[in-house]
Amino acid sequence: MKILIICTEKLPVPPIRGGAIQTYIAGALPNLRHKHQITVLGRSDASLPDDELQDGVRYCRVGGGLLEIYRDNVVDFLQSSSERYDLIHIFNRPRLVNPIRALAPNSKIVLSMHNDMFKPEKIDPEEGAAVVENVDKIITISNYIGQTIQDLFPAAAPKLQTIYSGVDLDRFVPSYSPKATTIRSRIRKEHNLTNKKVILYAGRLSPNKGIDVLIRAIPELAKKHKDIALVIMGSKWFSDNSITDYIAYVRALADRLPIPVIQTGFVSPDKIHEWFVASDLFVCTSQWQEPLARVHYEAMAAALPIVTTNRGGNTEVIEPHKNGIVVENPPNPGEFVEHISYLLSNPEKGKNMGRYGRTLAEQYYSWDRVVNDIASVWDEMENMPVKKTETIHSTEPDQQAEENTVVLPEETIPIESGIEVEKEKSPKPEEPAPIEHSQKTKRRRWLGRETTGSRFPEKVEELSRMYQEPTSGGDSLPQDNSVQTGKEDIPGMKNEEHSLTNIEDESSSNALFVEDEESSSIEMFTEESSSAEAEQVEKPRRKLIWKQK
């Protein structure tokens, strides 16, 4: 079949700048390309050509960054292309489905979901219902994601299928293997970690990932285990080592710990495995409803025992006390202390858990299994009859114009003619009823502006005073899940997703922190760098409704 894979607007493919979805696609392509003619459409990158053929796969790249910009570029790509694809596989962007269905009525459409992108704050319910109707299959990376979609849109149930992700078992070698021993010895020597019991955190440094909770657990752990060290592998965003207030806070906490702390910053994808084999146990501290972090697969492949949180889909790959231990109350540092201390005090138990995790990775989480599962879905789509489709036409008198028009809620645009149509005036909508504070806006920012350059040392001191942390030792760090300011608790730090506080008035800051739709990290756009993008975002949202019989 001729297949078009559409990635997200955030990061390029191949995953030269990291990214779970990009890694997923890259891991599956080498085998899938043998049977199908594949084109991958993704965002452009300065280090990659806009159009290239690599290992039998065509890569096309268009402008991204913001979904609205990327969606328009995807539509332009399909309109200008002479190719007619048998199957279009869209990753994690349900809002791309309807315009693509309008342009490709005879293609099968598969939607792979890696996050909670069907929530009302992510997609309008009417648009979401149309998406469910327009796709032929919805693949999810965890049962948790599938269930959230089904709860919101029951009609999606027969189209849902969970396909767990995979890991490169040749690169993420088990810590007890000869290859790992060599890497482990080198990394530990380079960073003065010889004879240390190394606790590894791997992930973005954002409040919803919760690394601060682990750091606040360390002083109590250090009382019982004098030979521990902490490795924090990650940064604000993929390929981005800039400093936010939260990262400054994390560094201020880490500087006061009585143990060695290695903060790696961003690590390129081809080096991540080295830190896994250099460590003794892996800790995932997610505070938000994690779809299912791929670091769990990497930890299992490296034969590390896992301590993870009961959030989202994380526990779906954990067999309690066989390959990992689950933290039931993630905001509580004390529970991390309990479980990590158990593994440090019982090293043989930890090694056995790691070996069992490696066995699970080999049996269930290889890329070969992922490829087979995706190939089965594609084969199913190939043998599925094409559904009849119909557009919801406008009331234009010209029948020919009507057939080439997709009706939008706020504007009408002929698909092929390119002729601008005057936007119809519509009656002023009724004043909406008040909504919950947590749903007022998708745009959020963490308290404060970004800390950069020469301001960093002063900012750390300011944060240290603000959070009333001790000046040395670290034993008296607060053990609850709130952050003390000296006046009152910072709002938003005690709830389940204690990471972010909604702020409606963005005009008071020259930096805007928004929750990233792909991975719920925090991403920063400055007014200077995003003015053009922001201008395009202000355009009316297009909803292209296409119904299938």
Side-chain angles (χ1 to χ4, degrees):
M1 291 190 294
K2 285 187 177 180
I3 295 175
L4 175 65
I5 293 176
I6 301 180
C7 193
T8 66
E9 76 282 0
K10 295 296 182 184
L11 296 164
V13 180
I16 59 171
R17 305 195 185 282
I21 294 172
Q22 291 72 18
T23 300
Y24 184 102
I25 294 172
L29 280 176
N31 289 330
L32 290 173
R33 65 183 173 85
H34 293 304
K35 187 178 177 181
H36 303 282
Q37 183 179 335
I38 298 176
T39 298
V40 177
L41 178 62
R43 74 158 292 169
S44 58
D45 188 273
S47 63
L48 296 170
D50 289 340
D51 196 328
E52 67 172 331
L53 187 66
Q54 187 180 125
D55 297 326
V57 176
R58 184 188 178 195
Y59 292 87
C60 299
R61 302 181 178 97
V62 297
L66 292 179
L67 179 59
E68 288 79 2
I69 297 172
Y70 186 64
R71 179 189 59 197
D72 291 347
N73 289 332
V74 169
V75 168
D76 289 345
F77 172 86
L78 288 171
Q79 287 179 328
S80 62
S81 175
S82 60
E83 294 286 354
R84 293 297 176 262
Y85 298 99
D86 301 300
L87 186 148
I88 299 176
H89 195 146
I90 302 168
F91 276 81
N92 212 42
R93 290 297 180 265
R95 287 183 59 198
L96 294 179
V97 169
N98 294 337
I100 289 174
R101 171 57 76 197
L103 295 170
N106 296 320
S107 299
K108 307 294 174 51
I109 295 182
V110 175
L111 178 63
S112 279
M113 294 306 303
H114 291 238
N115 293 89
D116 295 343
M117 304 301 292
F118 275 92
K119 288 183 175 180
E121 58 266 33
K122 299 287 188 180
I123 189 170
D124 181 85
E126 181 186 357
E127 185 179 3
V131 169
V132 170
E133 187 174 0
N134 283 330
V135 298
D136 298 286
K137 195 79 170 181
I138 302 175
I139 295 172
T140 64
I141 62 162
S142 65
N143 293 332
Y144 163 76
I145 292 296
Q147 190 61 53
T148 60
I149 296 172
Q150 185 175 334
D151 289 345
L152 292 165
F153 301 96
K159 299 182 179 183
L160 290 166
Q161 179 177 336
T162 297
I163 297 182
Y164 290 110
S165 190
V167 62
D168 187 339
L169 295 172
D170 294 327
R171 189 158 61 88
F172 285 85
V173 292
S175 55
Y176 50 79
S177 66
K179 182 179 179 181
T181 301
T182 302
I183 298 173
R184 180 183 178 91
S185 177
R186 174 174 56 82
I187 294 294
R188 284 174 164 254
K189 185 176 181 179
E190 288 176 359
H191 297 277
N192 297 318
L193 296 174
T194 305
N195 299 322
K196 295 292 184 181
K197 294 179 180 178
V198 178
I199 301 168
L200 173 66
Y201 166 87
R204 289 180 306 281
L205 304 184
S206 61
N208 51 17
K209 289 290 187 178
I211 179 59
D212 62 289
V213 182
L214 176 58
I215 294 175
R216 290 188 283 125
I218 293 295
E220 192 65 28
L221 278 170
K223 292 178 182 179
K224 304 176 183 178
H225 307 279
K226 305 297 184 182
D227 56 349
I228 61 173
L230 175 63
V231 172
I232 302 173
M233 177 168 59
S235 60
K236 167 191 164 184
W237 179 243
F238 301 104
S239 303
D240 184 353
N241 281 317
S242 58
I243 309 300
T244 64
D245 277 357
Y246 177 77
I247 294 177
Y249 168 55
V250 165
R251 290 186 176 183
L253 291 179
D255 286 345
R256 288 157 172 75
L257 292 180
I259 67 167
V261 179
I262 306 296
Q263 301 185 62
T264 69
F266 174 76
V267 176
S268 62
D270 61 338
K271 299 293 184 182
I272 290 175
H273 65 284
E274 295 183 351
W275 282 107
F276 276 90
V277 299
S279 302
D280 295 292
L281 64 94
F282 172 75
V283 181
C284 172
T285 56
S286 292
Q287 305 294 302
W288 69 303
Q289 296 298 337
E290 186 89 57
L292 202 173
R294 66 168 294 101
V295 286
H296 293 83
Y297 303 113
E298 294 166 347
M300 282 191 284
L304 295 182
I306 297 170
V307 175
T308 191
T309 58
N310 188 9
R311 286 289 189 260
N314 285 348
T315 59
E316 294 178 33
V317 295
I318 300 298
E319 296 185 28
H321 290 275
K322 289 187 175 181
N323 69 321
I325 303 176
V326 176
V327 175
E328 298 294 341
N329 185 17
N332 179 20
E335 192 170 347
F336 284 93
V337 171
E338 177 186 351
H339 298 318
I340 295 172
S341 183
Y342 172 79
L343 291 173
L344 292 174
S345 300
N346 298 275
E348 285 304 314
K349 176 66 175 177
K351 289 179 181 179
N352 290 336
M353 291 171 66
R355 288 179 181 272
Y356 184 70
R358 174 69 187 192
T359 299
L360 292 178
E362 292 174 351
Q363 290 181 346
Y364 303 113
Y365 306 121
S366 68
W367 281 121
D368 288 342
R369 193 272 307 156
V370 175
V371 168
N372 289 336
D373 288 350
I374 295 175
S376 295
V377 170
W378 287 4
D379 289 343
E380 177 188 347
M381 295 298 100
E382 186 175 16
N383 298 321
M384 179 184 292
V386 177
K387 296 179 181 179
K388 293 182 179 181
T389 60
E390 64 176 1
T391 55
I392 300 176
H393 297 299
S394 69
T395 56
E396 296 291 331
D398 187 342
Q399 181 65 27
Q400 183 63 38
E402 180 178 354
E403 293 176 354
N404 289 307
T405 301
V406 175
V407 175
L408 312 175
E410 297 178 278
E411 57 182 342
T412 304
I413 299 176
I415 291 180
E416 298 176 352
S417 67
I419 302 174
E420 293 187 1
V421 179
E422 183 178 358
K423 186 165 57 177
E424 296 181 1
K425 295 183 179 179
S426 56
K428 183 178 180 180
E430 296 180 2
E431 188 70 22
I435 59 178
E436 295 296 326
H437 182 67
S438 60
Q439 296 181 352
K440 283 184 180 177
T441 177
K442 280 169 49 179
R443 293 205 155 210
R444 305 169 173 180
R445 61 185 171 94
W446 198 70
L447 295 173
R449 295 180 173 88
E450 181 180 54
T451 306
T452 56
S454 60
R455 293 175 53 200
F456 178 65
E458 292 80 5
K459 195 67 177 180
V460 171
E461 292 302 320
E462 177 186 339
L463 285 164
S464 299
R465 292 191 300 271
M466 178 173 127
Y467 297 131
Q468 291 191 342
E469 299 300 345
T471 57
S472 63
D475 291 350
S476 59
L477 293 175
Q479 295 300 305
D480 58 74
N481 63 310
S482 64
V483 179
Q484 301 296 324
T485 66
K487 295 182 179 179
E488 57 184 356
D489 292 346
I490 295 179
M493 295 300 283
K494 281 189 174 181
N495 58 25
E496 182 173 277
E497 296 182 16
H498 72 295
S499 57
L500 300 170
T501 298
N502 288 321
I503 297 179
E504 295 183 77
D505 181 14
E506 306 290 358
S507 62
S508 61
S509 174
N510 65 347
L512 175 65
F513 290 86
V514 299
E515 184 178 6
D516 172 60
E517 291 184 336
E518 180 169 316
S519 51
S520 291
S521 69
I522 298 178
E523 183 171 1
M524 189 278 291
F525 296 98
T526 63
E527 291 179 351
E528 179 181 357
S529 63
S530 63
S531 58
E533 294 175 341
E535 182 179 350
Q536 297 194 46
V537 173
E538 292 174 359
K539 296 188 300 183
R541 178 185 293 184
R542 306 178 185 182
K543 283 189 213 164
L544 297 94
I545 306 299
W546 189 281
K547 288 190 175 180
Q548 292 187 337
K549 289 183 179 178

